[in-house]
Amino acid sequence: MRSDQDLAAEAAAGDEAAFETLVRRHQAAVRGLTRRLTGRPVEADDLAQSAFLTAWRKIGSYRGGAFKSWLCTIAYREFLQARRRHKPEVEFDESTHIIAFDLSAARMADRLDLDRALKQLPENQRICVVLCVAAGLSHSEASRATGWPLGTVKSYVNRGVAALRQHLAAEDVA
Amino acid sequence: MQNDEPYTDLTALFEAQDAAFADDGFTDRVMTPIRRRASWRSPLLFGAGGIGVGAALSQIGGLWRAVVDWLPESTVQVGGVPDVSLELGALSPLWFAAAGIMAVCCLAILVSERA
């Protein structure tokens, strides 16, 4: 299997097939990220599409490192731009979020728990948890993406992770 | 990717969620505008550039004759070449400017597309 770096280099040279392989490989992670940030599947997929189109235009500026992190950073910026343009009309819609996934009943219950727990977090913590824990960005990458100081990001992640574990544990008991 | 606190258990949960995403046409949705754009962009850019270069060259009066003189006689038939009315020195700088602007625009578009 060709590496992301090789495919990105080919895509930068104009190879659409190489970029298509990258889209197939990372679409789930990017769509997962945008759904967790927005809570609305339709808007999230629009953002994910915009992120991939931006990535195609800017693929020449990719300088190595984790390609998934580079993509997720672009997706996060798309989310920020969209939020500046449109104030959210509805709050996090759990039901539509769940329907969009093809899951067994047990896994859907797990998903429900995780989504509910994520929703309980303050926004800054949720963003840091989504970027670092779910999307796999390092604290430094998340700091660059959000513009928040590194120490602040670490603090948000640590507090978010602790709160997430607490929520999940409480739901397990219930 | 060094993080201070281990949270691999939570990362695994999120990854399991992501693994449940079927592509369901999403990749095609992304690739369709990319392919469509690529299909018209190159002919348009290079066509416009070619027209600009052709227009500029057509105004250089002595160019064709200079080329013909330079080429070996045995390889070129010049009987059908029309007489030109302008000399190289009389070329309007406007055409050079137009060709230059067009070339810069094409270059800028290509560079911005790849930036």
Side-chain angles (χ1 to χ4, degrees), chain A residues 35 38-42 90-101 111 115:
Chain A
R35 287 189 187 208
T38 66
R40 290 180 294 279
V42 175
V90 291
E91 286 301 312
F92 196 94
D93 185 346
E94 269 179 10
S95 59
T96 55
H97 199 187
I98 294 159
I99 289 166
F101 289 85
R111 159 151 215 102
D115 286 345

Side-chain angles (χ1 to χ4, degrees), chain A residues 60-77:
Chain A
S61 67
Y62 169 63
R63 296 283 177 262
F67 189 76
K68 180 179 158 189
S69 298
W70 183 74
L71 270 179
C72 287
T73 300
I74 291 174
Y76 174 69
R77 288 182 183 146

Side-chain angles (χ1 to χ4, degrees), chain A:
Chain A
M1 190 171 73
R2 283 182 297 172
S3 70
D4 286 351
Q5 283 73 18
D6 290 343
L7 289 167
E10 290 167 23
D15 186 343
E16 293 164 21
F19 189 72
E20 184 172 355
T21 304
L22 287 169
V23 175
R24 281 193 203 286
R25 194 176 284 179
H26 294 290
Q27 59 92 18
V30 173
R31 291 166 79 193
L33 174 83
T34 53
R35 287 189 187 208
R36 289 179 191 112
L37 289 171
T38 66
R40 290 180 294 279
V42 175
E43 183 190 349
D45 277 2
D46 287 345
L47 283 180
Q49 183 187 17
S50 297
F52 277 113
L53 292 176
T54 302
W56 168 250
R57 284 198 306 274
K58 295 187 178 295
I59 191 84
S61 67
Y62 169 63
R63 296 283 177 262
F67 189 76
K68 180 179 158 189
S69 298
W70 183 74
L71 270 179
C72 287
T73 300
I74 291 174
Y76 174 69
R77 288 182 183 146
E78 294 287 337
F79 162 72
L80 287 183
Q81 286 176 7
R83 199 171 61 169
R84 279 187 213 112
R85 285 194 301 266
H86 314 287
K87 201 172 170 65
E89 292 167 4
V90 291
E91 286 301 312
F92 196 94
D93 185 346
E94 269 179 10
S95 59
T96 55
H97 199 187
I98 294 159
I99 289 166
F101 289 85
D102 177 20
L103 296 174
S104 67
R107 291 179 70 192
M108 190 178 281
D110 289 343
R111 159 151 215 102
L112 185 61
D113 288 347
L114 196 54
D115 286 345
R116 192 180 291 130
L118 201 55
K119 186 187 168 190
Q120 302 298 319
L121 301 180
E123 187 181 52
N124 291 348
Q125 287 181 27
R126 191 171 76 235
I127 286 171
C128 287
V129 166
V130 167
L131 289 176
C132 296
V133 182
L137 270 69
S138 68
H139 290 159
S140 304
E141 288 168 337
S143 172
R144 283 195 295 275
T146 57
W148 297 331
L150 181 60
T152 305
V153 169
K154 286 182 180 179
S155 170
Y156 283 150
V157 170
N158 288 339
R159 278 189 269 164
V161 164
L164 206 55
R165 286 208 172 101
Q166 204 172 358
H167 284 302
L168 289 171
E171 291 193 12
D172 275 351
V173 170

Side-chain angles (χ1 to χ4, degrees), chain B residues 41-58:
Chain B
R41 193 187 55 178
S42 295
L44 182 74
L45 287 178
F46 289 106
I51 290 169
V53 169
L57 288 178
S58 71

Side-chain angles (χ1 to χ4, degrees), chain B residues 69-80:
Chain B
D69 290 344
W70 177 76
L71 289 172
E73 258 185 63
S74 59
T75 60
V76 180
Q77 298 294 322
V78 297

